[in-house]
Amino acid sequence: MLKIRDFWVSWRRYRFGLLLLGVCLSAILASPQVAMSTQSTAAATTESAAVAEVAKQPLPQPSKSPAVLPQQAALTTNVKKTVLENGLTVLTKEVRNAPVVTVQVWYKIGSRNEAPGVNGIAHQLEHMLFKGTKDRPIQFGRLFAALGSSFNAFTSYDQTAYFGTVEKNKLSSLLTLEADRMQNSTIDTEKLTGEKRVVISELQGYENGPSYRLDRAVKRAAFPSTPYGLTVGGTKADVEKFTVEQVRSYYDSYYAPNNATLVVVGDFDTASLMAKVRETVGKVPRRELKVAKPTVTPATTKPQRRLTLKQPGSTQIAIEVYPLPEATHPDVPAIDVMNYVLTEGRSSRMYQAIVETGIATSLDGGAANLAAGGWYEISSIVEVGKSLPKLEAAIDKEIKLLQTKGAAAGEIARAKAQLKASYLLGNRDINSQARQLGNDQTTTGDYQFTDKYLAGVERVTAADVQRVAKKYLQPNLKTIGFFEPTQITAKTAAPAEGGGKTADNFAPGAPVDPSELAKYLPALDPDTASQNQSLPQEVKLKNGLRVFLLPDASTPTVTLSGNIQAGTEYDNPAKAGLASLTATNLLSGTKTQSALAIAQTLESRGAGLAFAASREGVGLGGNALSKDLPVLLQTLSDVVQNANFPQQKFELSRQRALTALKLELDSPNSVARKKFQQTVYPLNHPFTIFPTQETLTGLTPADLQTFYRQHYLPSNTILAIVGDFKVAQVKSLLEQKLGNWSATATPVKLNYPQPQFPAKQVQVNPSLPGKTQAITLLGNKAIDRKDPRYYSALVLNQILGGDTLSSRLGTEIRDRQGLTYGIYSSFAAGKRQGTFIISMQTAPEDAQKATRSTIALLKDLQTKGVTTAEVANAKRSIASNYTVELASPDEIAGATLGNAVYGLNPNEISEFPKKIKAVTLEQVNQVAKELIQPDRLVVITAGPPKQ
């Protein structure tokens, strides 16, 4: 389903700050993204005057130093551009690493093409393009799922994009489907009415996050007279008023080949591909575009420069923005280098001055460089009780220092290294490469823009950085907003009386027949023999450390991932949070290096290393240019053997953990999941233990050191390294850096009491004031990864709720009834017995109806079972998608690592598709009876108090 994101926060390497709303998520219940909202005071100058003030500043004079851009960094090497007779721009890039291909269609339509009253119509239209066409009156998500496609879509400020990745013999099918919905999409009253409910559910879900509301308010205040001051998703008031004629008009005006870019990257022959493109998308007639150019309207009031939003929440938030020029402006490279000096990484100025001193819990910054201008944004989270004015003063001080004294040569070098490495590391897979091409072409009109941008980064000098800081970060241009919580709630409700059994007076509609679906699937290309995928080679050191190595010379980069058996399952009730704090503090200093020295060592090379605890292990992740692998491994070796947990860094990390806990207690998703775990599992089960303010406050550095010595052992660690290296050299490096890691401790034995189905349905309704949407979880105990029923459970899950656009749950609860923005099911199967869970987001008044409908559907599934056609379709989809996922070397390494952690056969990575294909109808129906108990479900609904 759709998800809103701050694109420039998560994809900062692309420079273009794009607020995305995408159509197909892997999970809808993610934590709220950092964003923000309004109420306020008067301001000094109008926005148009502010922009004019920036515009009249002298343009930058490019440095005369030559660009030093490694050949491997040229992201558009082998890219071919073709413009067809109908005006469609086609970008192709052959990448023969795996037998898969990605197809993306980018349209020049986004929220910048809107105005108050029709805000969100581009996003609404994106939804509608999955509702079917004249020739294919069926949900397109089902067609993509049947092809085994990894698919999605998003709307941003400047564009809307649709993308899918499939096995190479399905390339023509994707082109046919994209050509169909480019010209034949059905937009009628019935479909629009239902999908408007879904969009409103999505938008209200974002309203649950104070950061979203504050971000919206700040952008409106900063840009009151341009479309960039509008939210990408729109408002509930506008969405409710959309008419069929309005939405269809936008479709007719913008969805044309001469307003689109088709990007194809992967395993294909360009000449053959272009013939297919001409036969499909190339035959869509060009259209006279009735595109209204975005205009800047005169501001009727002065923009608010300071505002405060006071609403229920858990912590304080601050966000400030400064207007910036368009993405193609020659100052953009220097602005991004400036940002890296100020905010990127632990060694950056603001992190050291503001986060490391405890003024703020977190701080993030980035430039949103859009087609018609953008902004520079700094956002922070500040715990309640600390001073927001002190935070603002500290930020202003660092900006002023940069403006008056400039940056040191070492800072500029570090920033450039980080920035350039982020592009190389961010373009390793075909999906990312295609996104970069599509984004560049539609935003700047030049698919080679990134290569030129990186050349510009090479030319940036310290004087350039100082100049752009003076030019753009002027106090009179700043808009700043604060969120101050008025009510903090950390309570959860007790179980409802009598177990809270839900009445079921609902009959689900008939499931979609895959044979009916097959009528609308385009023909596949001949299935050519695919190359054998290389699998990682295992190396085991004498100390018990296991490492999987997978060479991949496609880019000059390496990725390090791993698992250490030191997860939260080892927490005890009195010291809950210990595992996470230990992992967090590994990079806080060692016997020989301070936290700053470690950060400088890595960040000066554009490398990164991080640790995070989950319930069944500590995940570690690192990346670097291939030449810096020795440095990455040396840093890893130091922190896993010599971490010393200094008191000051520990106190800061604990305060961040306490703030994070407050955010969790204010998140319906987090509250629901915690209560679900504690209800499904017995009271003394490790999976029911969560940190509290009391347990976190009671921890000491000595506790961390004890836990570290007990669990951080080579025999508890499995690593995977993927990238551009020689196996023999890395083996030698591993022996040198990690071969002497010797640690012994008595293994800790944990008690895992067996969870049981409850005697009857249990319903719990945690109440969170100030929320607009409810999160409902339904489920019960299930299986572990080694259970032989695992493969049958996957097939069952694919049919039931594996994808919100193609599953029974999605078809019924989302499409037919319009009750949810997204609904998913999953089996969480790890080393220990996991859970079966269904998750959905609804309006509070729809939660009970959605729950009743879901339970009725589960009962229908148990009594009638699934069909042979459904099983066959699900098996094909899972097997095909598995091939697509493993096209990335990083995914292969991750799958190999996971199999090793779960104790599976080393051949599992190649045996998995065979085991899926061997699943029978009888096995799926039997698993449904054994693992799904509709009358004995745990039902958790977290959201606003009942009226």
Side-chain angles (χ1 to χ4, degrees):
M1 299 281 348
L2 295 107
K3 181 179 180 180
I4 194 166
R5 300 180 63 188
D6 244 335
F7 198 56
W8 63 270
V9 170
S10 58
W11 276 17
R12 186 170 298 111
R13 59 183 179 272
Y14 298 131
R15 297 142 357 267
F16 303 113
L18 308 182
L19 193 62
L20 299 185
L21 289 100
V23 169
C24 234
L25 295 186
S26 57
I28 59 167
L29 302 175
S31 333
Q33 301 294 317
V34 177
M36 308 187 165
S37 163
T38 112
Q39 204 167 27
S40 271
T41 57
T45 67
T46 66
E47 179 217 350
S48 54
V51 174
E53 181 64 25
V54 171
K56 71 183 182 183
Q57 300 288 336
L59 291 176
Q61 300 301 312
S63 168
K64 295 182 180 180
S65 60
V68 182
L69 188 63
Q71 181 61 37
Q72 304 96 312
L75 303 178
T76 55
T77 299
N78 300 324
V79 175
K80 294 185 179 180
K81 177 181 177 181
T82 306
V83 180
L84 302 185
E85 291 183 359
N86 64 359
L88 178 70
T89 298
V90 183
L91 302 176
T92 61
K93 183 178 183 180
E94 295 182 18
V95 179
R96 302 298 185 94
N97 295 344
V100 298
V101 62
T102 187
V103 174
Q104 303 187 4
V105 183
W106 293 65
Y107 295 92
K108 292 182 182 178
I109 172 178
S111 58
R112 72 183 287 248
N113 303 104
E114 300 169 355
V118 290
N119 184 204
I121 199 165
H123 171 229
Q124 181 71 65
L125 181 54
E126 175 211 329
H127 274 247
M128 298 306 296
L129 260 72
F130 281 84
K131 302 300 287 184
T133 65
K134 298 173 185 176
D135 296 332
R136 294 180 173 85
I138 193 166
Q139 165 61 255
F140 262 46
R142 295 177 199 135
L143 297 174
F144 293 132
L147 291 172
S149 173
S150 173
F151 67 99
N152 212 319
F154 69 79
T155 302
S156 73
Y157 293 105
D158 292 331
Q159 63 266 111
T160 302
Y162 303 82
F163 44 98
T165 305
V166 292
E167 295 165 302
K168 60 186 294 185
N169 68 311
K170 297 166 183 174
L171 171 57
S172 295
S173 299
L174 282 191
L175 293 173
T176 299
L177 292 175
E178 292 298 349
D180 191 15
R181 65 176 171 181
M182 182 182 285
Q183 60 186 325
N184 299 318
S185 288
T186 302
I187 301 171
D188 59 28
T189 301
E190 181 182 0
K191 288 183 170 61
L192 179 60
T193 300
E195 204 62 25
K196 281 163 65 173
R197 289 193 67 185
V198 172
V199 168
I200 290 169
S201 173
E202 174 189 2
L203 296 178
Q204 290 184 318
Y206 304 140
E207 295 285 342
N208 278 350
S211 57
Y212 171 81
R213 302 196 298 272
L214 181 59
D215 183 74
R216 177 182 58 196
V218 170
K219 297 303 189 329
R220 284 176 179 171
F223 308 106
S225 57
T226 77
Y228 287 153
L230 303 174
T231 57
V232 172
T235 65
K236 178 182 178 183
D238 281 0
V239 171
E240 286 177 332
K241 292 184 295 185
F242 291 157
T243 66
V244 168
E245 291 73 24
Q246 285 177 313
V247 178
R248 189 180 293 128
S249 175
Y250 263 74
Y251 177 67
D252 292 339
S253 297
Y254 292 94
Y255 279 72
N258 43 318
N259 195 46
T261 297
L262 169 68
V263 187
V264 186
V265 179
D267 186 9
F268 57 83
D269 172 75
T270 301
S272 299
L273 167 69
M274 289 308 301
K276 296 174 183 177
V277 169
R278 288 187 170 92
E279 285 298 309
T280 52
V281 196
K283 288 188 174 181
V284 179
R286 68 183 297 133
R287 194 177 301 159
E288 181 182 353
L289 301 177
K290 302 174 183 177
V291 176
K293 293 184 178 179
T295 58
V296 177
T297 58
T300 56
T301 59
K302 293 181 179 181
Q304 297 173 332
R305 291 300 182 197
R306 306 187 67 82
L307 52 101
T308 301
L309 184 64
K310 295 184 177 182
Q311 294 177 354
S314 59
T315 190
Q316 298 182 124
I317 303 168
I319 186 168
E320 57 184 69
V321 301
Y322 298 82
L324 291 180
E326 68 280 1
T328 54
H329 195 284
D331 276 351
V332 165
I335 291 170
D336 285 345
V337 174
M338 175 196 73
N339 174 60
Y340 271 77
V341 170
L342 287 174
T343 71
E344 288 295 322
R346 193 166 189 166
S347 64
S348 66
R349 290 188 175 197
M350 288 190 184
Y351 192 96
Q352 286 294 311
I354 295 170
V355 179
E356 290 284 352
T357 59
I359 294 174
T361 299
S362 68
L363 180 141
D364 201 358
N369 302 310
L370 306 176
W375 55 84
Y376 181 67
E377 179 168 335
I378 300 172
S379 58
S380 309
I381 295 177
V382 182
E383 61 185 285
V384 174
K386 292 204 171 181
S387 170
L388 287 169
K390 183 178 180 180
L391 166 70
E392 183 182 6
I395 292 174
D396 289 347
K397 178 182 178 181
E398 293 306 314
I399 291 173
K400 190 67 175 177
L401 282 172
L402 183 61
Q403 291 171 331
T404 56
K405 297 187 177 180
E411 289 180 295
I412 301 297
R414 172 189 66 81
K416 287 184 177 182
Q418 286 177 290
L419 212 165
K420 290 182 292 184
S422 71
Y423 276 87
L424 289 174
L425 290 161
N427 282 275
R428 299 178 71 180
D429 62 274
I430 61 174
N431 299 293
S432 297
Q433 291 173 40
R435 280 198 298 265
Q436 186 73 67
L437 293 170
N439 195 41
D440 282 352
Q441 180 65 34
T442 53
T443 304
T444 72
D446 181 3
Y447 76 92
Q448 295 179 312
F449 178 77
T450 292
D451 287 336
K452 297 171 184 177
Y453 162 84
L454 289 173
V457 169
E458 283 287 353
R459 293 192 294 268
V460 171
T461 66
D464 292 329
V465 170
Q466 186 176 14
R467 175 181 53 77
V468 297
K470 290 179 179 179
K471 180 177 179 179
Y472 296 106
L473 305 187
Q474 298 177 26
N476 65 308
L477 301 179
K478 177 175 72 175
T479 300
I480 187 165
F482 298 124
F483 177 84
E484 297 179 3
T486 58
Q487 179 180 359
I488 301 175
T489 301
K491 298 179 180 179
T492 55
E497 291 184 15
K501 181 171 175 57
T502 313
D504 69 29
N505 52 5
F506 166 80
V512 175
D513 185 354
S515 61
E516 179 71 14
L517 180 72
K519 294 192 306 185
Y520 303 110
L521 280 172
L524 305 184
D525 295 330
D527 192 2
T528 56
S530 60
Q531 71 260 36
N532 291 325
Q533 176 63 62
S534 299
L535 298 179
Q537 175 181 341
E538 182 176 0
V539 175
K540 188 169 184 178
L541 304 187
K542 293 180 180 179
N543 57 10
L545 176 68
R546 298 171 65 191
V547 186
F548 293 93
L549 303 177
L550 180 62
D552 172 35
S554 59
T555 62
T557 61
V558 289
T559 297
L560 168 68
S561 55
N563 181 278
I564 303 172
Q565 195 173 323
T568 60
E569 62 184 343
Y570 291 104
D571 281 350
N572 64 59
K575 295 185 182 295
L578 176 57
S580 291
L581 271 182
T582 303
T584 300
N585 277 275
L586 289 175
L587 293 167
S588 292
T590 67
K591 297 174 183 177
T592 59
Q593 294 187 90
S594 67
L596 180 57
I598 293 171
Q600 289 173 332
T601 297
L602 294 172
E603 291 168 8
S604 65
R605 295 166 170 81
L609 181 64
F611 299 84
S614 63
R615 70 187 190 188
E616 292 191 337
V618 170
L620 68 92
N623 50 53
L625 299 181
S626 51
K627 65 182 180 64
D628 295 319
L629 179 58
V631 175
L632 190 61
L633 287 178
Q634 174 58 44
T635 304
L636 172 65
S637 174
D638 192 18
V639 299
V640 297
Q641 297 183 74
N642 304 313
N644 62 350
F645 307 104
Q647 180 75 37
Q648 182 186 16
K649 302 300 182 187
F650 165 75
E651 293 293 350
L652 287 171
S653 67
R654 173 164 57 190
Q655 191 55 59
R656 287 193 287 268
L658 287 166
T659 301
L661 176 62
K662 292 177 183 177
L663 289 170
E664 289 176 6
L665 294 174
D666 190 46
S667 163
N669 178 43
S670 297
V671 169
R673 288 191 176 271
K674 182 182 295 186
K675 181 56 67 175
F676 181 82
Q677 291 285 120
Q678 292 174 330
T679 309
V680 168
Y681 291 102
L683 195 60
N684 57 341
H685 194 285
F687 291 175
T688 64
I689 299 171
F690 294 92
T692 65
Q693 182 174 347
E694 291 71 26
T695 62
L696 289 172
T697 303
L699 295 175
T700 67
D703 292 325
L704 272 62
Q705 190 66 250
T706 300
F707 187 89
Y708 175 71
R709 289 195 300 266
Q710 182 75 49
H711 298 286
Y712 283 77
L713 315 172
S715 56
N716 278 355
T717 304
I718 305 174
L719 304 177
I721 305 175
V722 179
D724 186 16
F725 58 78
K726 302 294 183 184
V727 171
Q729 294 175 353
V730 175
K731 285 182 179 179
S732 175
L733 194 60
L734 289 167
E735 288 287 356
Q736 176 188 344
K737 303 296 184 183
L738 292 161
N740 293 326
W741 180 12
S742 59
T744 58
T746 303
V748 177
K749 293 185 178 180
L750 296 174
N751 176 34
Y752 280 89
Q754 288 296 311
Q756 304 295 327
F757 287 110
K760 58 183 178 180
Q761 185 185 114
V762 177
Q763 193 163 14
V764 186
N765 300 300
S767 175
L768 288 86
K771 305 306 173 186
T772 56
Q773 286 278 286
I775 300 298
T776 298
L777 306 180
L778 307 89
N780 48 41
K781 64 148 188 165
I783 56 177
D784 61 44
R785 179 60 180 85
K786 284 188 172 182
D787 193 302
R789 297 172 293 179
Y790 175 74
Y791 306 96
S792 301
L794 284 186
V795 175
L796 170 65
N797 187 70
Q798 180 69 16
I799 296 168
L800 176 61
D803 185 286
T804 198
L805 296 184
S806 63
S807 63
R808 283 195 179 190
L809 285 169
T811 299
E812 183 63 43
I813 312 301
R814 180 192 188 275
D815 280 0
R816 193 168 81 84
Q817 298 190 53
L819 294 175
T820 178
Y821 151 60
I823 183 167
Y824 298 86
S825 66
S826 63
F827 284 90
K831 290 186 297 184
R832 311 296 178 183
Q833 189 172 11
T835 57
F836 162 70
I837 189 168
I838 296 171
S839 58
M840 58 182 162
Q841 169 186 299
T842 66
E845 63 271 19
D846 290 336
Q848 284 197 347
K849 181 179 179 182
T851 298
R852 289 197 301 270
S853 300
T854 298
I855 294 173
L857 189 148
L858 293 178
K859 291 182 176 181
D860 190 69
L861 176 73
Q862 275 214 325
T863 56
K864 299 177 182 177
V866 299
T867 67
T868 302
E870 283 182 307
V871 171
N873 199 53
K875 286 159 59 174
R876 281 194 302 269
S877 180
I878 294 170
S880 295
N881 195 257
Y882 185 75
T883 301
V884 169
E885 292 297 324
L886 292 189
S888 164
D890 284 345
E891 293 294 337
I892 295 174
T896 303
L897 182 66
N899 292 339
V901 169
Y902 297 141
L904 302 175
N905 189 299
N907 295 327
E908 174 66 17
I909 197 167
S910 57
E911 292 294 318
F912 176 86
K914 300 175 185 177
K915 294 177 180 177
I916 289 293
K917 291 175 183 177
V919 171
T920 66
L921 171 68
E922 293 73 22
Q923 288 172 329
V924 174
N925 284 329
Q926 184 61 33
V927 161
K929 292 177 180 178
E930 293 174 357
L931 300 184
I932 299 176
Q933 301 289 328
D935 291 324
R936 304 167 72 184
L937 291 171
V938 170
V939 181
I940 312 293
T941 298
K946 291 184 178 180
Q947 299 301 316

